[in-house]
Amino acid sequence: MREEILRVEHLTYEYQPGYPALKDVNLSIGRGEKIAVMGSNGAGKSTFFLNLNGVLQAETGEFYYCGEKITGKQRRNLRRHIGFVFQDADNQMIASTVQAEVAFGPMNLKLPREEVQEQVERALAYMNLQQYRNRPLHYLSGGEKKRVSIADIIAMRPELILFDEPTSSLDPYSANRLEQVLEDLSKEGKTLLISTHDVDFAYRWAERIVVFDHGKILADGKTLEVFCQEQMLCQAHLKKPEMLQVYETLRKKGLIREGSYPRQAGELAEAM
């Protein structure tokens, strides 16, 4: 069983009185987990992430980080440990150049100058951005800005990283590169939560699926178990992943090993 890194109990958040965006949410997150957070637009995913990161602060709910209860002003300190990559990279960027942007987070943490430079170089290399270091942000493409926004967070070395729709607006090549970055971060032991509508990505990448619906957690479990709940998927306006549909069709025809459940094309060929 994984060590718990973050726990949320009875979290309720209202943007205006009487209209809760989150309703009594309870969730435990294990260190190193790869979790896809899913649900339709307005289900509460982004609001949940903003509360986890301390950007929003609900009056109702308790937070525990590494077993320690986080209260009051301590909530803001969660940003030292929990990074948040926004869906729209422009909402995250404030500096004039790539290097200045990536350096902003470590500098804001008041790290020594040498350590800031070390972290910036590491983050730029991680996202293959060294050649862009002096480029103005407004000259970058959407995919390049996304890479910079991730480098922003990597430079701060958080233990848990939240990604809000990271593959939206990315071309297939950039989306594949992003998946490799996510795998690299996971191998480093980072805990990753990704909000996404892409069921195929979630099926092949995530170990666990958490589904939100109208501000509540509708389902929470292992990836395969959740995607086999057809009634729940219908209620949450989600579809079954294509690879799972292909497997079920081949199984009915006796063309694939029972119980193999491939997640990618290569695994599908091996199971036949």
Side-chain angles (χ1 to χ4, degrees):
M1 185 174 180
R2 294 179 185 266
E3 174 191 3
E4 183 181 77
I5 188 172
L6 182 67
R7 183 167 83 255
V8 180
E9 295 182 352
H10 306 298
L11 173 63
T12 296
Y13 185 84
E14 297 180 344
Y15 285 104
Q16 54 181 319
Y19 297 90
L22 298 174
K23 308 171 187 175
D24 195 32
V25 172
N26 297 273
L27 190 70
S28 175
I29 299 167
R31 188 179 298 278
E33 279 198 285
K34 298 161 59 178
I35 303 174
V37 179
M38 310 195 75
S40 59
N41 290 333
K45 305 184 301 296
S46 295
T47 302
F48 179 63
F49 277 12
L50 290 167
N51 272 274
L52 291 186
N53 181 249
V55 175
L56 298 179
Q57 298 197 36
E59 294 185 1
T60 303
E62 296 181 345
F63 289 78
Y64 296 84
Y65 184 78
C66 294
E68 179 182 353
K69 186 174 182 179
I70 306 298
T71 59
K73 295 181 179 180
Q74 291 178 312
R75 288 284 307 281
R76 294 189 181 275
N77 290 333
L78 283 176
R79 298 180 202 177
R80 292 178 174 266
H81 308 286
I82 303 176
F84 186 18
V85 179
F86 286 80
Q87 178 178 353
D88 185 349
D90 288 322
N91 291 338
Q92 185 173 328
M93 297 179 179
I94 61 173
S96 57
T97 67
V98 171
Q99 180 159 307
E101 173 65 27
V102 177
F104 179 81
M107 290 177 62
N108 200 42
L109 294 177
K110 303 187 185 304
L111 298 178
R113 184 181 184 87
E114 295 78 11
E115 188 172 348
V116 170
Q117 187 60 36
E118 179 183 330
Q119 290 305 111
V120 169
E121 292 301 325
R122 175 179 177 273
L124 291 176
Y126 208 106
M127 298 307 300
N128 194 25
L129 289 167
Q130 299 98 319
Q131 67 272 34
Y132 297 93
R133 66 171 69 246
N134 296 317
R135 187 169 298 185
L137 294 174
H138 60 272
Y139 287 166
L140 301 179
S141 68
E144 290 165 347
K145 287 181 178 179
K146 179 71 75 173
R147 286 159 58 193
V148 173
S149 69
I150 297 172
D152 282 354
I153 302 304
I154 291 174
M156 297 176 69
R157 303 186 71 176
E159 297 179 82
L160 190 156
I161 306 177
L162 313 171
F163 294 84
D164 193 4
E165 294 289 346
T167 59
S168 66
S169 75
L170 292 184
D171 58 67
Y173 175 76
S174 298
N176 287 336
R177 285 184 59 113
L178 175 60
E179 285 196 42
Q180 184 56 57
V181 168
L182 295 174
E183 284 302 316
D184 292 342
L185 290 170
S186 179
K187 289 176 182 177
E188 288 188 4
K190 301 295 185 185
T191 305
L192 307 176
L193 273 73
I194 296 182
S195 167
T196 181
H197 292 287
D198 189 339
V199 295
D200 297 309
F201 162 72
Y203 179 68
R204 66 176 174 265
W205 176 81
E207 301 169 337
R208 176 182 172 191
I209 305 290
V210 176
V211 180
F212 276 80
D213 182 52
H214 292 91
K216 296 182 178 181
I217 293 180
L218 180 62
D220 178 8
K222 294 181 179 179
T223 299
L224 181 60
E225 294 174 353
V226 170
F227 279 128
C228 285
Q229 298 177 38
E230 296 192 12
Q231 184 175 348
M232 181 279 299
L233 293 177
C234 182
Q235 181 178 339
H237 304 291
L238 298 172
K239 67 175 184 176
K240 186 174 290 188
E242 289 188 8
M243 189 59 66
L244 185 54
Q245 294 182 53
V246 169
Y247 164 78
E248 291 177 345
T249 300
L250 293 174
R251 184 192 62 187
K252 290 177 182 178
K253 295 179 179 294
L255 298 175
I256 195 169
R257 292 200 309 270
E258 187 78 21
S260 54
Y261 291 104
R263 294 197 179 196
Q264 303 189 50
E267 296 176 2
L268 178 65
E270 292 175 1
M272 294 181 68

